[in-house]
Amino acid sequence: WYAILSYRGGDVTPYAGIDQIEFEDGALFLTGNDADVDRYLVGVRYDVSHLNAVKLEYRYEDRKGGITNAIVAQTAFGF
């Protein structure tokens, strides 16, 4: 499950979210690091134009193998 809350104010949209994934043991299509995960994130989206958006996000992930902190940047273009 997951939930995201955002507030759109002009070209800038701050957001926060939480999600949780629980894998079943022996799931047929899951391989590798299929450890359960609890994830929390906060970020901001900036609409550069009607065809481009840029996002900067901080993620905190808690898995069986340990805790991960990440800062992620993304840009998306529309045609």
Side-chain angles (χ1 to χ4, degrees):
W1 63 268
Y2 70 94
I4 296 179
L5 178 67
S6 66
Y7 176 77
R8 187 155 183 91
D11 293 337
V12 178
T13 305
Y15 60 91
I18 180 173
D19 65 273
Q20 183 179 59
I21 303 170
E22 295 180 4
F23 294 95
E24 293 183 22
D25 292 335
L28 181 61
F29 297 104
L30 302 174
T31 61
N33 188 11
D34 58 352
D36 297 348
V37 61
D38 294 322
R39 181 181 299 119
Y40 307 90
L41 57 94
V42 293
V44 63
R45 171 188 164 134
Y46 174 67
D47 294 327
V48 178
S49 70
H50 70 283
L51 295 176
N52 180 236
V54 176
K55 291 186 348 182
L56 185 63
E57 180 176 288
Y58 167 75
R59 294 180 189 167
Y60 171 92
E61 293 186 4
D62 187 358
R63 294 180 183 261
K64 181 172 51 176
I67 293 174
T68 303
N69 295 285
I71 295 176
V72 180
Q74 175 188 16
T75 186
F77 295 92
F79 297 94

